[in-house]
């Protein structure tokens, strides 16, 4: 058995997902509403999510570690979120005002308490809109023309940041270069994006200093892909150099916000960015994005500033600050702020990671875990390379085995935990890992 056998077995044992996906592909381009959702031979089609569990079209159940790409920190259909959404429906009577309303202020106060760097705030409907708007603000504030981003960092699917997301030989990490990650990107964005190597302070310092007159913003995932930390000195150096060079530092905390610590990666490092983008968890499972930061930068978009559009950064969105997303997000934050709640999710994450690592050692599988707070991923150890195996293929094989044992995180994706993942789910997960590691030993020369 090899990887393609595992994939065929996956396909043939899920006839209803297969049939549905085929139909979907006739009306939805590629059968998926997002390229990242596809994997071979077809992605699972789900019909239900409850707590930590998903049920697919064939009635198979899975402990869910994808959690809608990390958005569902309380799991699927948590009662406090359900109640909050029902209350909006009863009390406000609408899903959107398209105007200022009290829940907006409530949310800003909660965010500002946990993220004091976010002195002034605006809402958007997605993480992509948040990073796009943060960059626009930074360029307007500095009057410069270029942005800098890190090789391997994802900031959503808009033109200025769909560059060097997937690391290739060309795009890094040793020799970062602006390489488009999509067809159809105007050359302008490639020409106006400077790519930096994460972790390599010397190179970053050189590039930023040389291009100080052009670069208006540095945007980064403060933990790459949500789970790979930078060194503390790297973060501190980046903060002080950007400040010195007059470059706006943007933390994209769409993944890390409320997950690494409740106060995000900025609390974890103790480093204050100029602007922050939030998304995912802050909407409690409904669409949202948030941009906030230094008042002087945020005020660039204030209509109170000037009535001349040449003086103001434009920002708008029909559903910005809609009461459903805000109520769900507020319920999530308030629940997580109850004493011990968040820490207990972190404790369960730590215990799961330890359990997986112990099993990996026992079965001599060359994987370890890397992460912080409630996010982690499985990464190949040195031995994986030494053994001459292809670590990515090995990981993929493991992911298909895990899916067969009822564990879902989408092949090659990171693991996110939720409040709904209790002892039962953890035990089920470790049993599934044990069986999958046993099978992996049989099929791979590890
Ligand atoms: C770090 C980061 N930034 C931005 C985004 C884009 O957010 P959205 O998918 O809500 O547009 C994502 C989404 O995964 C993300 O992980």
């Amino acid at each position: 058995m090899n990887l393609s056998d595992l994939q065929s077995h996956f396909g043939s044992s899920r006839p209803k997902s297969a049939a549905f996906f085929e139909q979907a592909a006739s009306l939805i381009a590629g059968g998926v509403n997002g390229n990242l959702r596809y994997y071979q031979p077809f992605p699972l089609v789900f019909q239900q999510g409850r707590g930590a569990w998903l049920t697919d079209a064939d009635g198979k159940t899975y402990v869910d570690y994808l959690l809608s790409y990390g958005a569902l920190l309380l799991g699927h259909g948590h009662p406090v979120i359900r109640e909050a959404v029902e209350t909006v429906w009863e009390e406000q009577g609408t899903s959107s005002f398209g105007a200022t309303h009290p829940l907006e202020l409530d949310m800003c106060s909660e965010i500002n308490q946990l993220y004091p760097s976010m002195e002034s705030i605006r809402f958007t409907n997605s993480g992509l809109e948040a990073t796009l708007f943060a960059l626009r603000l930074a360029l307007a504030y500095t009057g410069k023309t270029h942005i800098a981003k890190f090789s391997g960092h994802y900031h959503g699917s808009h033109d200025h940041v769909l560059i060097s997301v997937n690391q290739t030989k060309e795009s890094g990490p040793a020799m970062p270069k602006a390489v488009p990650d999509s067809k159809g990107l105007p050359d302008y964005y490639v020409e106006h994006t400077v790519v930096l190597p994460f972790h390599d302070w010397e190179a970053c310092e050189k590039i930023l200093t040389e291009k100080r007159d052009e670069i208006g913003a540095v945007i980064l995932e403060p933990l790459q892909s949500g789970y790979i930390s930078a060194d503390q000195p790297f973060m501190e150096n980046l903060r002080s150099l950007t400040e010195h060079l007059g470059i706006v530092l943007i933390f994209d905390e769409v993944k890390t916000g409320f997950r690494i610590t409740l106060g995000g990666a900025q609390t974890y490092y103790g480093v204050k960015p100029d602007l922050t983008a939030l998304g995912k968890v802050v909407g409690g499972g409904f669409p949202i994005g948030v941009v906030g930061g230094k008042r002087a930068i945020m005020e660039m978009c204030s209509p109170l500033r000037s009535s001349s559009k040449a003086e103001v950064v434009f920002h708008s969105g029909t559903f910005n600050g809609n009461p459903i997303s805000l109520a769900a997000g507020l319920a999530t934050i308030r629940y997580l702020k109850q004493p011990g709640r968040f820490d207990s999710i972190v404790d369960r994450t730590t215990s799961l990671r330890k359990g997986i690592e112990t099993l990996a050692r026992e079965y001599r599988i060359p994987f370890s875990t890397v992460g912080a707070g409630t996010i982690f991923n499985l990464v190949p150890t040195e031995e994986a390379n030494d053994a001459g195996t292809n670590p990515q293929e090995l990981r993929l094989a493991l992911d298909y085995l895990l899916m067969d044992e009822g564990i879902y995180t989408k092949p090659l994706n990171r693991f996110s935990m939720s409040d709904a993942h209790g002892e039962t789910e953890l035990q089920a997960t470790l049993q599934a890992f044990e069986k999958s590691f046993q099978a992996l030993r049989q099929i791979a020369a590890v």
Side-chain angles (χ1 to χ4, degrees):
M1 250 214 200
N2 57 25
L3 178 57
S4 68
D5 294 333
L6 288 172
Q7 288 172 329
S8 322
H9 170 73
F10 168 90
S12 59
S13 54
R14 288 162 176 87
K16 290 193 176 150
S17 270
F20 190 89
F21 184 75
E22 202 179 318
Q23 252 188 311
S26 69
L27 283 172
I28 300 169
V32 281
N33 277 298
N35 292 31
L36 296 175
R37 297 182 184 188
Y38 181 78
Y39 50 90
Q40 286 183 353
F42 52 80
L44 286 176
V45 173
F46 290 107
Q47 55 183 13
Q48 198 175 72
R50 280 193 203 287
W53 296 84
L54 285 170
T55 307
D56 74 10
D58 291 277
K60 292 181 190 286
T61 55
Y62 305 82
V63 183
D64 182 14
Y65 290 95
L66 181 69
L67 292 168
S68 194
Y69 292 87
L72 308 181
L73 184 45
L74 303 193
H76 295 273
H78 196 284
V80 298
I81 295 180
R82 190 188 185 123
E83 193 188 326
V85 171
E86 282 171 2
T87 303
V88 167
W89 210 244
E90 302 261 307
E91 292 181 3
Q92 275 90 353
T94 182
S95 54
S96 187
F97 290 108
T100 300
H101 62 99
L103 282 178
E104 293 183 330
L105 191 54
D106 290 354
M107 179 58 106
C108 289
S109 308
E110 291 289 357
I111 291 176
N112 179 258
Q113 272 177 33
L114 287 166
Y115 297 78
S117 71
M118 298 174 78
E119 297 165 4
S120 173
I121 291 167
R122 278 278 178 100
F123 297 119
T124 68
N125 295 299
S126 63
L128 105 79
E129 291 167 66
T131 61
L132 186 154
F133 178 46
L135 290 167
R136 184 184 297 158
L137 281 165
L139 292 182
Y141 182 72
T142 57
K144 301 191 203 174
T145 50
H146 287 55
I147 69 152
K149 76 173 289 290
F150 285 85
S151 175
H153 290 209
Y154 180 65
H155 302 293
S157 61
H158 63 92
D159 292 353
H160 218 149
V161 290
L162 266 185
I163 289 173
S164 303
V165 177
N166 295 299
Q167 287 176 317
T168 60
K169 265 197 195 136
E170 267 187 308
S171 68
M175 212 178 70
K177 190 175 163 218
V179 178
D181 280 278
S182 170
K183 245 178 131 58
L185 291 196
D187 291 347
Y188 170 90
Y189 293 105
V190 179
E191 288 156 11
H192 289 77
T193 301
V194 174
V195 181
L196 302 168
F198 201 44
H199 303 300
D200 184 345
W201 176 246
E202 245 174 65
C204 288
E205 187 176 33
K206 185 165 179 290
I207 298 168
L208 291 173
T209 309
E210 272 174 18
K211 297 186 189 291
R212 62 192 296 170
D213 294 333
E214 292 116 73
I215 299 174
V218 172
I219 187 166
L220 77 158
E221 290 194 77
L223 283 88
Q224 180 172 332
S225 305
Y227 64 92
I228 304 167
S229 310
D231 293 342
Q232 185 68 24
F234 179 91
M235 275 297 175
E236 287 170 10
N237 287 338
L238 185 64
R239 173 62 289 186
S240 54
L241 184 69
T242 46
E243 194 160 14
H244 172 68
L245 300 177
I247 296 173
V248 173
L249 180 63
I250 304 172
F251 272 16
D252 176 356
E253 297 234 38
V254 170
K255 281 193 198 84
T256 52
F258 305 92
R259 274 201 168 273
I260 299 305
T261 73
L262 266 186
Q266 46 202 277
T267 299
Y268 173 77
Y269 292 113
V271 167
K272 254 188 174 186
D274 298 311
L275 291 178
T276 299
L278 296 172
K280 298 196 193 276
V281 172
V282 71
F286 290 81
I288 200 165
V290 184
V291 179
K294 279 200 175 133
R295 194 171 299 282
I297 307 176
M298 292 303 298
E299 289 290 321
M300 297 294 296
C301 72
S302 165
L304 305 177
R305 194 178 141 81
S306 164
S307 57
S308 156
K309 69 178 180 186
E311 297 295 318
V312 180
V313 174
F314 187 75
H315 167 238
S316 194
T318 303
F319 293 110
N320 288 357
N322 76 79
I324 302 282
S325 300
L326 292 185
L330 275 168
T332 302
I333 296 170
R334 287 171 178 163
Y335 180 85
L336 290 169
K337 278 170 68 182
Q338 291 170 14
R341 286 274 185 216
F342 183 78
D343 291 346
S344 133
I345 310 177
V346 175
D347 289 347
R348 280 174 270 156
T349 315
T350 309
S351 124
L352 179 60
R353 286 177 58 182
K354 280 192 185 143
I356 294 170
E357 286 173 2
T358 304
L359 288 169
R361 277 195 299 275
E362 194 176 320
Y363 288 91
R364 286 178 289 122
I365 302 293
F367 277 114
S368 188
T369 72
V370 168
T374 65
I375 309 178
F376 71 93
N377 208 350
L378 301 171
V379 293
T381 57
E382 301 270 308
E383 291 91 72
N385 298 317
D386 295 349
T389 43
N390 175 335
Q392 170 134 325
E393 274 197 17
L394 198 63
R395 169 66 201 272
L396 265 178
L398 176 62
D399 286 341
Y400 283 91
L401 289 164
L402 283 170
M403 282 198 277
D404 256 359
E405 296 298 336
I407 304 297
Y408 186 69
T409 187
K410 205 203 77 169
L412 301 181
N413 205 70
R414 68 194 176 279
F415 287 66
S416 296
M417 280 288 276
S418 89
D419 182 65
H421 288 68
E423 203 41 46
T424 311
E425 287 77 16
L426 261 53
Q427 285 315 320
T429 306
L430 289 174
Q431 275 168 19
F433 264 94
E434 179 151 24
K435 284 192 180 162
S436 304
F437 283 163
Q438 274 167 357
L440 202 58
R441 279 222 66 83
Q442 314 270 318
I443 62 172
V446 290

